[in-house]
Amino acid sequence: MVELTQQEQQALAESRLVWQMAQSEGYQTVFKPFLEAKLNQSFPDPSQFNKEEEFIYAAKIASVFKKVCAEILGWVESEVDQAKFLEKKEKGEVENNFEIGK
């Protein structure tokens, strides 16, 4: 067993909460599929707009929304990974490859 620093303990507590959320039925069946659908959605159809400016604005909004969705999905995944890593570290299952001679 390894004692985590205060920062690591705080990070582990927060990451565990995100991990719990990511495992919840609401996240798995509603929110995550919504984000993935928005991420994979194609850009607006130019034929649906009367003015080029309207299309450009809609395309910009879609692009930003896709980036936000990707960032949220990536953040949740990285928080889960961090929780798993810190739990292993706490149990002494992580080697310290930065020690001299390793």
Side-chain angles (χ1 to χ4, degrees):
M1 197 89 177
V2 174
E3 188 167 332
L4 300 177
T5 66
Q6 188 173 0
Q7 281 182 308
E8 289 173 326
Q9 290 172 2
Q10 178 68 30
L12 178 57
E14 291 174 5
S15 294
R16 280 180 175 156
L17 290 172
V18 175
W19 191 1
Q20 289 172 357
M21 179 212 57
Q23 293 175 322
S24 73
E25 184 179 359
Y27 180 80
Q28 289 294 320
T29 61
V30 179
F31 192 52
K32 185 178 180 185
F34 169 79
L35 292 173
E36 290 172 335
K38 291 296 182 182
L39 183 63
N40 297 321
Q41 193 174 48
S42 62
F43 280 93
D45 180 2
S47 67
Q48 295 178 346
F49 298 91
N50 295 327
K51 297 180 181 177
E52 185 177 353
E53 298 84 28
E54 292 174 352
F55 168 71
I56 291 171
Y57 178 77
K60 285 179 180 180
I61 296 299
S63 177
V64 170
F65 198 69
K66 285 174 167 249
K67 289 176 184 175
V68 170
C69 291
E71 189 171 333
I72 292 169
L73 289 166
W75 176 76
V76 169
E77 189 175 310
S78 71
E79 288 292 311
V80 170
D81 290 344
Q82 177 173 269
K84 290 176 182 178
F85 171 79
L86 290 172
E87 283 185 352
K88 284 182 179 180
K89 183 176 181 180
E90 190 175 45
K91 293 175 185 174
E93 298 173 359
V94 174
E95 286 188 39
N96 186 351
N97 292 327
F98 296 106
E99 290 179 348
I100 295 175
K102 292 263 181 180

